[in-house]
Amino acid sequence: DGGITQSPKYLFRKEGQNVTLSCEQNLNHDAMYWYRQDPGQGLRLIYYSQIVNDFQKGDIAEGYSVSREKKESFPLTVTSAQKNPTAFYLCASTHWRGGRANTEAFFGQGTRLTVV
Amino acid sequence: AQKVTQAQTEISVVEKEDVTLDCVYETRDTTYYLFWYKQPPSGELVFLIRRNSFDEQNEISGRYSWNFQKSTSSFNFTITASQVVDSAVYFCALSELNFGNEKLTFGTGTRLTIIP
């Protein structure tokens, strides 16, 4: 079945360490997105990528980095510079046709990151 | 800048009651998409509906219905004869159709609890 796979589901990190969250999709979608979810704040966009080898900062990119070397994969690295990394992270993807996205976004099941 | 407001943080209703979730949006564009997503306890966001800004027809899908009114910038969601399985967090989202800046802006969500 097609879909988006995020791993791991739960992740614990010591302060000062970088950690990478995986996101893989087999939907042949062009665009991929990373969102952060905190209680009471909804989802906020971290980074997004419309094509391979290209990505743009979202609203809260500081302390995060991404890469898009393959169409199917969009890993997110939470660096030690991110001051409050404990959150729920969601990856999403959409089609991209003629310069337009905005078909429904498909979401993964999320990764819950806790800094200990 | 685009903004989505879901003023209802939490709602509880008894099973079989009808419930309406409010969504108010702000955008400078005349062309945009509106979405509703459901987030069950598992964490994954489930797509419910997408509405183009040019289409103000209300839509009904089973027990779900949506009321889109451009005059009041609202896109409200009604569940009729609610069931316990409807318990979840519901997000309203907006996407403007500007090339190169196509991303979803989410509201803060409404936690709906259906009491058996």
Side-chain angles (χ1 to χ4, degrees), chain A residues 37-99:
Chain A
Q37 185 177 13
D38 295 282
Q41 294 196 45
L43 279 72
R44 292 181 291 167
L45 182 65
I46 304 172
Y47 268 99
Y48 63 107
S49 168
Q50 297 163 352
I51 56 174
V52 174
N53 292 322
D54 188 44
F55 47 83
Q56 288 80 41
K57 292 182 179 180
D59 301 317
I60 55 165
E62 185 176 351
Y64 299 97
S65 66
V66 294
S67 63
R68 187 86 186 278
E69 298 176 0
K70 299 186 299 181
K71 187 176 183 178
E72 315 80 65
S73 179
F74 191 41
L76 172 74
T77 297
V78 184
T79 74
S80 56
Q82 169 50 234
K83 297 190 187 321
N84 185 21
T86 295
F88 187 57
Y89 292 87
L90 282 160
C91 179
S93 69
T94 63
H95 275 299
W96 188 266
R97 299 193 190 96

Side-chain angles (χ1 to χ4, degrees), chain A residues 3-22:
Chain A
I4 299 179
T5 302
Q6 289 187 242
S7 61
K9 191 171 182 179
Y10 298 95
L11 188 58
F12 295 88
R13 188 196 88 177
K14 290 183 179 179
E15 278 192 44
Q17 288 182 338
N18 293 354
V19 64
T20 298
L21 282 59
S22 170

Side-chain angles (χ1 to χ4, degrees), chain B residues 42-116:
Chain B
S42 60
E44 180 179 353
L45 265 70
V46 178
F47 169 82
L48 296 177
I49 190 172
R50 179 187 67 167
R51 173 63 76 224
N52 185 303
S53 56
F54 294 117
D55 181 4
E56 286 194 71
Q57 278 193 337
N58 292 331
E59 181 156 340
I60 298 174
S61 177
R63 297 185 296 107
Y64 295 171
S65 62
W66 291 269
N67 185 318
F68 176 33
Q69 293 194 351
K70 287 181 77 170
S71 60
T72 57
S73 297
S74 65
F75 187 44
N76 297 338
F77 172 32
T78 297
I79 301 175
T80 304
S82 60
Q83 299 176 3
V84 173
V85 293
D86 296 327
S87 296
V89 180
Y90 290 86
F91 290 96
C92 181
L94 165 71
S95 182
E96 294 173 339
L97 293 179
N98 296 318
F99 179 73
N101 186 29
E102 306 206 23
K103 57 181 183 178
L104 287 168
T105 296
F106 285 85
T108 52
T110 297
R111 180 176 298 277
L112 176 63
T113 301
I114 309 300
I115 303 167

